[in-house]
Every structure is written in structure tokens, then in C-alpha cells.
Amino acid sequence: MSSDRSPDPQEILRRTSRTFALSLAALPGVMREPVEVAYLLARAADTIADTGPVAVEKRIEGLRALRAAVAGAGSGPPDFAGVGPGSGRDDPVAAAEAALLDGIRPLLTRLEALDPADLGEVRRVVARLLRTMEGELAWFLPGQSAGVTAWPDAPALEAYTDGIAGCVGPFWMRLVRRHVHAFSPGSFACWRSRPGAMGEVCNWSTFCATCPVICGGECAFFPWTSWQR
């Protein structure tokens, strides 16, 4: 059940990603709140999507509820009871993630308090991440195929890598342009095309590192066109 109590954001950041917490502290002050809110919402989404013991259908339902709340279209703060890892965990990271889901209401309040332009950016990138996670879970739904389930082709994989990682780069660059450095139109157009590709490269690195594990099960991120060569 979600609550009104506000977990310490810095403590959650330290427990879930110490490196990100240190990087956030180095940002210009005006950028910290939108970046921190976006990160914590994305982390909440990751927690819902990756909690293996929970049925896939229930995880998708949780992601949709969070997406509606982020868009301001929900009837109230979503209740994630039975969706996340649970609060009684010995693992400090899992405990921090459970506290994040349990305290989602204060995080949504912080989201609504952002500057309108920053609010739009955070909503856009988080919605893209959430939709991609929903699509990933639905596509790789256990038991829907007798064999290995893979993306159908390279464009599907490219769309996935952009939605799960690449979209964060342009989000970052738009915040930098608004708050820190006023790029000329020409230079911004040049740089705007690079962060997405960088995010996709990072995600490809993850695929390569986890491929032996993933392919040993029932799903594979590499498309069928690659398997058939």
C-alpha cells in the first residue's frame, strides 16, 4: 500500500545507485530536482518490471498505473501492494526499492511541483520508459511461445533500445540547454542526435554481457533475423 510518508530520497539514491547519487550532487542546483525525480520514477518502474516472483500481468498492470499517475490521469496514487519486492527484505537495495514504491505519493507531489517545462520533460521521458517496459514484458510473456521468444527484426530492437535507454540522452540534453548552456540552433541539432545513440550503445553492452544468461532461458533480445543467419 502506498503511503504519505516520504522516504529519504538521498538514502534511496545511495542504496540503489551510489554512483548516480554522487553524480547528482555535482549537477548545477537548478537541474538536480528534475533529474532526481525522473531517476526515482524510473527506478520505481524498474522495480515493478523486474520483481520476478510477481506475475507478469500484475507487473504490467503496475507499470500502467504508474504511467497514468505520472501523466496526472490517475484517480489517485497507485497502490503497489504485492507488486514490488516487499519491505521485509534483508537486501538493502530491495528494501530501498520497497520504500520507494511505498512512498510514491510524495514523489508524485514533487513531480507536480516542478517547473512546467521540466514537468513536461520528465513526464515525456518517464512515459517512454514505462511504455517500453510494458512492451518488453508483454512481448516476452512466459509461456506464449514453445521456444525462444525474440524481437522480430532489427527495427524492433532499435525501437526497444531507444525506448529503454536512448531516450534519456535527449532528455538530458534538453535540460542542459534550458538550464546551463544555450546551444546555438546548429550545434544543438548536431548534439541532439548523439545522446540517444550513446544510450543505445550502453544498452547494447548490457545485451552482450547478459546474452549467455538470457539465451539460456526462453527469451533473447537479439532479433530473429540475427538468429537465422
Side-chain angles (χ1 to χ4, degrees), residues 45 53 102 120 123 139 184:
D102 191 43
R123 279 179 165 167
W139 184 259
S184 66

Side-chain angles (χ1 to χ4, degrees), residues 3-108:
S3 72
D4 292 324
R5 67 183 180 82
S6 179
D8 180 2
Q10 293 304 315
E11 183 62 22
I12 289 177
L13 285 169
R14 284 192 294 270
R15 290 186 181 182
T16 58
S17 178
R18 183 174 299 178
T19 301
F20 187 86
L22 293 173
S23 301
L24 188 66
L27 284 178
V30 71
M31 287 185 61
R32 289 176 196 162
E33 182 67 359
V35 171
E36 182 176 316
V37 169
Y39 171 82
L40 290 174
L41 287 169
R43 188 72 195 205
D46 269 339
T47 300
I48 296 169
D50 295 342
T51 304
V54 178
V56 171
E57 294 85 351
K58 190 169 182 62
R59 282 183 270 163
I60 293 175
E61 182 182 321
L63 290 172
R64 288 173 177 165
L66 180 58
R67 182 156 56 90
V70 169
S75 57
D79 185 352
F80 294 124
V83 177
S87 57
R89 299 291 297 272
D90 294 331
D91 181 356
V93 174
E97 290 173 337
L100 176 59
L101 291 183
D102 191 43
I104 199 69
R105 185 193 298 266
L107 182 56
L108 293 171

Side-chain angles (χ1 to χ4, degrees), residues 38-39 41-43 45-46 49 63 67 122-136 160-168 171:
Y39 171 82
L41 287 169
R43 188 72 195 205
D46 269 339
L63 290 172
R67 182 156 56 90
V122 173
R123 279 179 165 167
R124 182 195 309 183
V125 72
V126 173
R128 180 74 185 279
L129 292 167
L130 282 161
R131 285 195 303 270
T132 304
M133 292 178 195
E134 292 167 31
E136 177 187 352
Y160 171 74
T161 56
D162 182 68
I164 206 68
C167 63
V168 176
F171 160 76

Side-chain angles (χ1 to χ4, degrees), residues 137-208:
L137 287 174
W139 184 259
F140 293 113
L141 186 66
Q144 72 172 3
S145 172
V148 173
T149 301
W151 294 118
D153 49 36
L157 176 60
E158 183 176 356
Y160 171 74
T161 56
D162 182 68
I164 206 68
C167 63
V168 176
F171 160 76
W172 175 263
M173 289 301 295
R174 286 191 293 267
L175 286 184
V176 171
R177 186 189 190 194
R178 180 177 300 116
H179 294 297
V180 181
H181 183 74
F183 295 98
S184 66
S187 63
F188 182 69
C190 175
W191 278 99
R192 185 172 53 188
S193 64
R194 299 181 183 179
M198 189 178 300
E200 291 176 16
V201 167
C202 291
N203 222 36
W204 269 104
S205 300
T206 302
F207 294 160
C208 292

Side-chain angles (χ1 to χ4, degrees), residues 200-227:
E200 291 176 16
V201 167
C202 291
N203 222 36
W204 269 104
S205 300
T206 302
F207 294 160
C208 292
T210 59
C211 188
V213 177
I214 294 171
C215 296
E218 298 179 342
C219 68
F221 285 111
F222 292 105
W224 274 120
T225 50
S226 297
W227 286 78

